[in-house]
Amino acid sequence: MDEFALIERFFRGLGSASGGVSLGIGDDAALLRPNAGMELAVTTDTLIQGRHFDAQMRPQDLAWKALAVNLSDLAAMGACPRWFTLALSMPTVDKAWLEAFSQGLATAADVFELALVGGDTTRGPLSLGLTALGEVPIGGALRRDGAKAGDLICVSGTLGDAALALRLARAPEALASRLSRPTPRVSLGRKLVGYAHAAIDLSDGLLQDLGHILKASGVGAEIALDQIPVSPMFAQHCEPERRSELILAGGDDYELCVCIPEAAFDRLEQALPTPLTRIGRIVKAPGTRVLNALGDIIETPLSGYRHFE
Ligand code: ADP
Ligand code: MG
């Protein structure tokens, strides 16, 4: 099966017809039309075997995760996903693998209502480079540089589940799926447009990712460790001495961290598609202080994952 037959069989027409496609797969480039008054949010994330996943990962989970991590970036901008491209490198043409992979990708693309509009197919070590395009009202995106002293710091869902799953020899399915099939908080991100001052998605751990907002915005943060939401599964399976490390620096959460004025939070809270929990405040003094239940500062030498350290 050559490259073109492969694209035809496994990738053409994949995803839901999200509109705005003047020309999809098959030419030298796709032609896309965002709606009037919108600007494009464009993001790329690559998953490489041996680095981001191992050979045992099921192709349908891999496909889900590859799209989900990109959609999480769009969610963090408040953007509505529209289209994506796939740069696929693989050592051989394994039809069973491609079948499962393309079905998993189609499922995810249908759930989040976007269409595959192009890509590239090469021979090489297994890697998946996805680029997702979404749209957001011009000037309305949730950037990293808008946090202001006094803003509440909130996170969606619960933190630490994926990091715990990675470290348990046999994680229960409900925890394992938080690692293999993360849920990008797309509807939540879109709801926050016009209300939140800044947002980021949590891929490398709360402290490191919040740190990006603080640096871009020129502010600092105070976080109450015991306010950070964890799941019942996490509470049950995590050893107490690992708890703060996994919550603060575990990574792979794909939840949103949001800086929002208190009044806006109070107005929105009940109407949100995913719960947001307040965990701290933006302050003027730079740096992050993590406080215990008594309000004392806890030492945290934790910084999260970095590829080139
Ligand atoms: P070119 O040589 O002009 O770069 P290609 O032969 O690489 O074109 O690709 C042919 C068409 O198939 C293009 O429209 C491209 O976007 C699409 N395509 C290639 N690989 C993939 C893939 N893995 N998934 C989706 N579309 C793909
Ligand atoms: Mg090409």
Side-chain angles (χ1 to χ4, degrees), residues 77-227:
M77 299 302 288
C80 172
R82 301 286 311 269
W83 313 289
F84 71 109
T85 64
L86 165 67
L88 176 62
S89 159
M90 54 194 173
T92 56
V93 175
D94 176 341
K95 286 189 194 155
W97 187 93
L98 274 164
E99 186 65 48
F101 176 80
S102 66
Q103 283 196 6
L105 199 58
T107 304
D110 281 340
V111 168
F112 294 100
E113 300 179 324
L114 71 174
L116 179 63
V117 296
D120 193 27
T121 306
T122 54
R123 191 183 293 274
L126 186 59
S127 97
L128 311 163
L130 274 76
T131 296
L133 299 98
E135 57 181 30
V136 58
I138 293 173
L142 307 174
R143 301 161 47 134
R144 294 180 180 184
D145 59 4
K148 305 220 163 21
D151 284 351
L152 294 180
I153 302 168
C154 302
V155 294
S156 65
T158 58
L159 303 193
D161 294 329
L164 179 60
L166 194 62
R167 284 158 182 83
L168 290 178
R170 251 191 231 127
E173 176 51 33
L175 266 181
S177 68
R178 291 275 286 160
L179 181 63
S180 60
R181 296 178 82 87
T183 307
R185 303 303 187 185
V186 171
S187 328
L188 175 63
R190 291 181 64 191
K191 277 256 169 171
L192 294 171
V193 169
Y195 296 97
H197 282 161
I200 192 168
D201 70 314
L202 299 178
S203 53
D204 297 328
L206 175 65
L207 288 186
Q208 182 169 311
D209 290 327
L210 174 61
H212 295 313
I213 288 186
L214 303 181
K215 188 161 179 234
S217 302
V219 291
E222 283 181 7
I223 299 289
L225 184 59
D226 67 340
Q227 303 292 304

Side-chain angles (χ1 to χ4, degrees), residues 11-60:
F11 296 118
R12 185 190 286 282
L14 190 149
S16 62
S18 62
V21 182
S22 308
L23 191 58
I25 289 175
D27 212 309
D28 294 311
L31 297 174
L32 307 172
R33 259 175 292 117
N35 287 310
M38 308 296 262
E39 57 191 347
L40 286 178
V42 181
T43 182
T44 299
D45 255 311
T46 304
L47 297 186
I48 295 174
Q49 184 168 336
R51 166 62 56 184
H52 302 98
F53 64 93
D54 56 30
Q56 282 87 276
M57 189 154 174
R58 301 179 337 156
Q60 52 272 47

